[in-house]
Amino acid sequence: MLEIRHLKTLHALREADSLVEAAERLHLTQSALSHQFKELEERLGMQLFVRKTKPLRFTSAGLRLLQLADATLPLLRGAERDIARLAGGTAGRLHMAIECHSCFQWLMPTIDQFRDAWPEVELDLASGFAFAPLPALARGDLDLVVTSDPLELPGITYVPLFTYEAMLAVANQHALANKAYIVPEDLLSETLITYPVERDRLDIFTRFLEPADVEPAQVRTSELTVMMMQLVASGRGVCGMPHWALHEYSSRGYVKAKRLGERGLFATLYAGIRTDMLDAPYMRDFLLTAKDTSFSTLDGVSAVR
């Protein structure tokens, strides 16, 4: 009666908190996912969740199946890893670099899980801020680069991890705090706080300010997210940042998060990988672990459409 796919879809629904987002994560249409749930409920003779509730509410039957999913899916994943080891590819190298300062908060749990699952893989992590990681990836010095700025390079494949919204952090008392959304001209008199990377790697410049031919009054840099938030909260400037990195501070009322443009400014984070490594079992598992961790720990991310 029950199938693994049912447990996976229930788990995805709980994590996504909506049928639309769950369908995106499972690469299904919303109608296909709805049909799958309807079919399962008819088999069981019980409703699994209450439709049109926010947040989503599961029935007693749904909660029981979620308990089963929580117990079963990790065992299934572990068995798949073991089979991959038996088939070969247990050892190898995974040297990676990050082009995103705020990625560390979710990538480190991913690495911890991966290290436990693949102890024989040589793992190394470097910051991609002091050198050009994508050319290093193409040369073979690296095996994976986390980036939001993919470059077309021979032998490199980009695997989308998730889509996120870039937003502007402002102080609670700032004049922009009450605006519905920010337009480029709003930053003409502002100090813009950024990470210390080239402007052509910052979406707030390349996709928001520069197309409108707008330059902020001043640019200030900081390497630490928490320091940037302190500067914003004390009225020393405003800061562009991914919603999932900003949410930790805006949800506690430390700063306000404002949309960039009426429709928002969205970007995709990728894992750049040498194409010859795509089929390595440990590489496939790392990508799955990274996606699972991002969807379960980051607010406001969505599957790439």
Side-chain angles (χ1 to χ4, degrees):
M1 182 180 293
L2 284 173
E3 301 175 22
I4 293 297
R5 65 188 178 100
H6 296 141
L7 300 182
K8 288 183 176 179
T9 52
L10 270 173
H11 180 268
L13 182 59
R14 180 183 62 189
E15 297 300 312
D17 200 33
S18 77
L19 278 171
V20 174
E21 180 66 20
E24 289 179 359
R25 295 188 185 188
L26 294 167
H27 304 290
L28 298 171
T29 64
Q30 184 180 350
S31 60
L33 186 61
S34 297
H35 179 75
Q36 187 179 127
F37 278 123
K38 183 179 179 181
E39 180 187 29
L40 179 58
E41 288 175 332
E42 288 177 352
R43 285 193 199 178
L44 298 173
M46 298 187 70
Q47 192 174 357
L48 296 176
F49 62 94
V50 182
R51 269 70 171 174
K52 298 181 180 179
T53 57
K54 197 69 175 177
L56 198 67
R57 286 197 298 114
F58 289 89
T59 64
S60 296
L63 291 172
R64 180 62 187 91
L65 290 185
L66 282 171
Q67 289 178 345
L68 179 62
D70 290 338
T72 303
L73 294 180
L75 292 175
L76 178 65
R77 187 74 170 273
E80 290 172 342
R81 291 189 183 111
D82 291 341
I83 291 171
R85 291 190 185 94
L86 291 171
T90 63
R93 188 191 82 163
L94 182 52
H95 289 188
M96 68 184 78
I98 305 175
E99 283 193 331
C100 168
H101 280 73
S102 45
C103 287
F104 283 99
Q105 73 183 72
W106 65 266
L107 193 58
M108 294 313 294
T110 298
I111 290 173
D112 288 342
Q113 290 184 45
F114 180 81
R115 188 183 290 112
D116 291 340
W118 299 90
E120 296 179 24
V121 174
E122 178 190 338
L123 189 64
D124 193 22
L125 175 65
S127 168
F129 311 129
F131 68 102
L134 289 176
L137 178 65
R139 291 194 305 269
D141 299 335
L142 295 171
D143 306 304
L144 183 149
V145 173
V146 178
T147 181
S148 58
D149 301 299
L151 298 175
E152 287 193 21
L153 294 170
I156 303 301
T157 297
Y158 294 95
V159 178
L161 296 174
F162 56 80
T163 295
Y164 64 92
E165 183 174 3
M167 305 192 78
L168 190 75
V170 303
N172 292 324
Q173 68 277 12
H174 197 286
L176 297 177
N178 294 320
K179 289 200 66 175
Y181 57 89
I182 305 299
V183 297
E185 290 74 18
D186 289 331
L187 303 188
L188 281 169
S189 60
E190 299 293 334
T191 296
L192 181 62
I193 305 166
T194 73
Y195 293 114
V197 298
E198 295 88 347
R199 289 171 60 134
D200 60 7
R201 291 167 57 187
L202 295 170
D203 288 336
I204 195 167
F205 279 109
T206 60
R207 298 176 54 206
F208 187 67
L209 294 174
E210 290 175 1
D213 196 24
V214 168
E215 181 70 20
Q218 186 176 351
V219 177
R220 179 173 180 173
T221 63
S222 176
E223 291 190 359
L224 300 176
T225 301
V226 64
M227 181 60 69
M228 296 168 78
M229 292 299 96
Q230 288 179 356
L231 291 170
V232 170
S234 61
R236 305 291 183 87
V238 297
C239 172
M241 189 172 292
H243 173 65
W244 50 267
L246 181 54
H247 178 73
E248 176 184 354
Y249 304 94
S250 61
S251 63
R252 294 184 296 175
Y254 198 62
V255 296
K256 289 280 183 70
K258 309 304 297 183
R259 172 161 278 192
L260 291 167
E262 185 175 3
R263 297 184 178 180
L265 182 63
F266 293 88
T268 298
L269 200 67
Y270 298 88
I273 304 163
R274 294 206 317 277
T275 305
D276 60 355
M277 290 192 66
L278 274 174
D279 291 329
Y282 62 84
M283 180 64 80
R284 293 200 305 267
D285 188 63
F286 181 85
L287 293 173
L288 287 172
T289 303
K291 287 184 179 182
D292 287 347
T293 302
S294 62
F295 288 131
S296 64
T297 60
L298 304 180
D299 187 82
V301 301
S302 59
V304 179
R305 299 181 181 180

